[in-house]
Amino acid sequence: MDNFQFYSPTEFIFGKETEYSCGAYVKKYGGTKVLIHYGGGSAVRSGLIDRVTASLEREEIPYVLLGGVQPNPRDTKVYEGIELCRRENVDFILSVGGGSCIDSAKGIACGVPYEGDFWDFYCGKQVEKALPIGTVLTIAAAGSEGSTGSVITKEEGMLKRDTCSDLLRPRFSILNPALTESLPAYQTACGATDIMAHVLERYFTNTTEVEITDRLCEAVLLTMVKEAPRVIADPHNYQARANIMWAGTIAHNDVVGVGRSQDWNSHGIEHELSGLYDCAHGAGLAVVMPAWMEFVYKHNIMRFAQMATRVWGCEMNFEDPAVTAREGIRAFRRFLASIGMPINFEQLGAKEADIPVLVEKFGLGEEGRTGGFVSLSSEDVAEILHIAAHASADKEIAE
Ligand code: NZQ
Ligand code: ZN
């Protein structure tokens, strides 16, 4: 195991009706003028925004509202939020929604105290100051409610880029699983896929002797394998929603990833897909991640065989562990198809002819390589995308 520091100061308030207390938590964390930031309307339709504003009013905390954050949140909304916060002297942002709303709130939070363009932080500059944020989460997926990350799409050129900083971890996050019961099955499945991908990006590591985090990763994956089909069959299964919601948070606040190298190439490649096609991030991952696995599994066959046996229940082929490794990848892809995820370009609405554009946006150039479990060149990324283009649920994995 590698040395690590783990700093995760977010306070989580979990359970039924917890959103009624959001005003008290804003007060606890020093907010005196709040921006309530929300999405395209689901939180208004469900009455959640009314409950949130009532809670702030009970605490006599003034607020302004800014809705309209779209999935794959845009820089234009962040600029609008920065201006509004400055004009209204906002000192706390309360994000009510999913990863897109929270990421947009994080963009605003680092942009308000900064004299330059907030986009600098999404081009490599380190965040030095940010307004505090809190969240009321409505979808278990991105893990932004406990993570350091924020992903924003620059409308000009549809460039999707991220930034990470401990300063962007929410001060508190309210997690009421019942709020996720109104999600359509497709969004629920996209969220489940993202949660599993966050674990798998950490699971495929070059660090040895990481039994504790391996086992924690497997626990989260096994939970998702059990609970995702249950909520898709019965959207009002509160207990299954609860397990998924907490899985989503710990999948990405790094408790399962500390002390080990991590990969993140599937996420990098997927961000180009959702940047170009505006598809759901989880759907893009369902197409990319098994293809990435097919491409890299020979780098560490025993690690893939471990996933196959411990997560997917495959029998270990001791004579030829590569057979087991390939069975695990197939099982993963079959599972994604079974919960309604696209697994190839056609199902996602992507075009194989766009692969050169996707590779160019990924930005490695001719000589460059990524880091991660397996370092990739532009040609490798193109090859992974070609595998993804033609995948099918029962496809044999190439030897
Ligand atoms: O906008 P509304 O009307 O709220 O509708 C949303 C949206 O259409 C809907 N929704 C959310 N909660 C609902 C609901 N509909 C009914 N009932 C509810 N309770 O679901 C749709 C998707 O919402 P979104 O916030 O986009 O989903 P998600 O949480 O998956 O966030 C995706 C974004 O997060 C980024 C992704 O790239 C993508 O841009 N990520 C952020 C990360 C981070 N900050 O750490 C890490 C992730 O890997 C990811 O990249
Ligand atoms: Zn993700």
Side-chain angles (χ1 to χ4, degrees):
M1 196 191 299
D2 298 335
N3 291 359
F4 67 86
Q5 279 174 288
F6 182 59
Y7 176 70
S8 177
T10 307
E11 179 170 357
F12 296 105
I13 303 102
F14 191 99
K16 290 178 183 167
E17 300 185 357
T18 42
E19 69 272 20
Y20 288 93
S21 62
C22 65
Y25 283 95
V26 169
K27 189 173 250 175
K28 175 174 175 181
Y29 288 98
T32 63
K33 178 81 184 271
V34 175
L35 172 73
I36 301 174
H37 199 39
Y38 60 96
S42 72
V44 175
R45 287 193 297 278
S46 67
L48 176 60
I49 294 292
D50 288 342
R51 299 201 288 285
V52 166
T53 53
S55 176
L56 287 169
E57 282 159 19
R58 272 196 303 278
E59 301 295 336
E60 298 180 353
I61 301 171
Y63 57 83
V64 287
L65 292 152
L66 180 63
V69 179
Q70 58 196 101
N72 301 317
R74 305 301 152 85
D75 61 336
T76 43
K77 186 58 77 180
V78 174
Y79 291 119
E80 198 183 330
I82 292 170
E83 260 200 51
L84 180 63
C85 286
R86 286 181 181 155
R87 200 167 59 235
E88 295 285 340
N89 291 318
V90 163
D91 59 13
F92 196 98
I93 305 175
L94 182 59
S95 176
V96 183
S100 295
C101 283
I102 302 173
D103 285 3
S104 183
K106 288 177 176 178
I108 298 168
C110 62
V112 171
Y114 179 57
E115 281 179 8
D117 184 347
F118 92 97
W119 189 249
D120 294 347
F121 300 122
Y122 294 75
C123 301
K125 190 177 169 63
Q126 271 305 306
V127 175
E128 283 172 8
K129 220 173 162 194
L131 291 185
I133 76 165
T135 83
V136 180
L137 186 66
T138 63
I139 170 172
S144 191
E145 70 277 9
S147 82
T148 56
S150 162
V151 192
I152 301 289
T153 300
K154 191 179 183 58
E155 233 164 60
E156 196 189 323
M158 290 302 274
L159 264 189
K160 194 171 184 185
R161 294 291 175 262
D162 62 10
T163 188
C164 282
S165 168
D166 274 327
L167 295 170
L168 297 179
R169 289 214 203 236
R171 296 293 202 277
F172 70 84
S173 281
I174 290 186
L175 311 180
N176 175 358
L179 297 179
T180 67
E181 288 180 31
S182 55
L183 278 166
Y186 183 74
Q187 284 298 344
T188 298
C190 287
T193 305
D194 195 17
I195 292 168
M196 295 176 83
H198 292 162
V199 173
L200 291 164
E201 297 278 16
R202 294 169 164 98
Y203 192 68
F204 290 102
T205 183
N206 293 317
T207 314
T208 56
E209 303 281 353
V210 282
E211 186 71 3
I212 174 63
T213 38
D214 268 7
R215 294 286 185 181
L216 288 171
C217 285
E218 288 155 5
V220 177
L221 292 168
L222 285 164
T223 300
M224 295 308 298
V225 171
K226 177 174 177 211
E227 302 292 37
R230 283 177 84 202
V231 288
I232 286 162
D234 175 11
H236 299 292
N237 186 331
Y238 175 86
Q239 296 301 343
R241 292 264 183 209
N243 280 296
I244 290 177
M245 198 165 220
W246 190 235
T249 299
I250 62 167
H252 201 39
N253 80 342
D254 217 22
V255 73
V256 306
V258 291
R260 51 198 288 147
S261 69
Q262 304 182 7
D263 188 68
W264 295 101
N265 282 325
S266 298
H267 263 70
I269 297 170
E270 191 296 315
H271 284 164
E272 302 311 340
L273 286 172
S274 47
L276 190 64
Y277 301 112
D278 208 11
C279 58
H281 168 62
L285 285 168
V287 174
V288 169
M289 200 156 213
W292 169 84
M293 290 180 173
E294 278 194 55
F295 186 77
V296 304
Y297 80 91
K298 287 185 189 141
H299 173 69
N300 189 340
I301 284 171
M302 290 313 289
R303 181 147 283 278
F304 275 91
Q306 179 178 305
M307 173 186 80
T309 54
R310 292 187 186 174
V311 178
W312 301 108
C314 302
E315 214 161 291
M316 183 67 186
N317 184 329
F318 289 98
E319 275 170 26
D320 190 356
V323 172
T324 314
R326 290 195 291 273
E327 268 175 28
I329 299 168
R330 272 184 89 183
F332 177 41
R333 192 179 263 138
R334 267 202 302 266
F335 174 79
L336 295 171
S338 78
I339 59 171
M341 284 291 88
I343 46 174
N344 58 38
F345 267 33
E346 195 187 343
Q347 291 169 357
L348 186 69
K351 292 194 203 85
E352 198 169 10
D354 287 339
I355 288 178
V357 179
L358 291 160
V359 172
E360 200 191 326
K361 288 181 109 185
F362 192 70
L364 291 174
E366 274 182 23
E367 303 281 311
R369 297 192 76 86
T370 64
F373 178 62
V374 174
S375 153
L376 303 177
S377 67
S378 287
E379 278 170 12
D380 298 336
V381 173
E383 181 57 31
I384 290 166
L385 288 167
H386 282 293
I387 296 171
H390 297 283
S392 66
D394 268 322
K395 177 176 178 268
E396 293 282 351
I397 310 297
E399 286 186 27

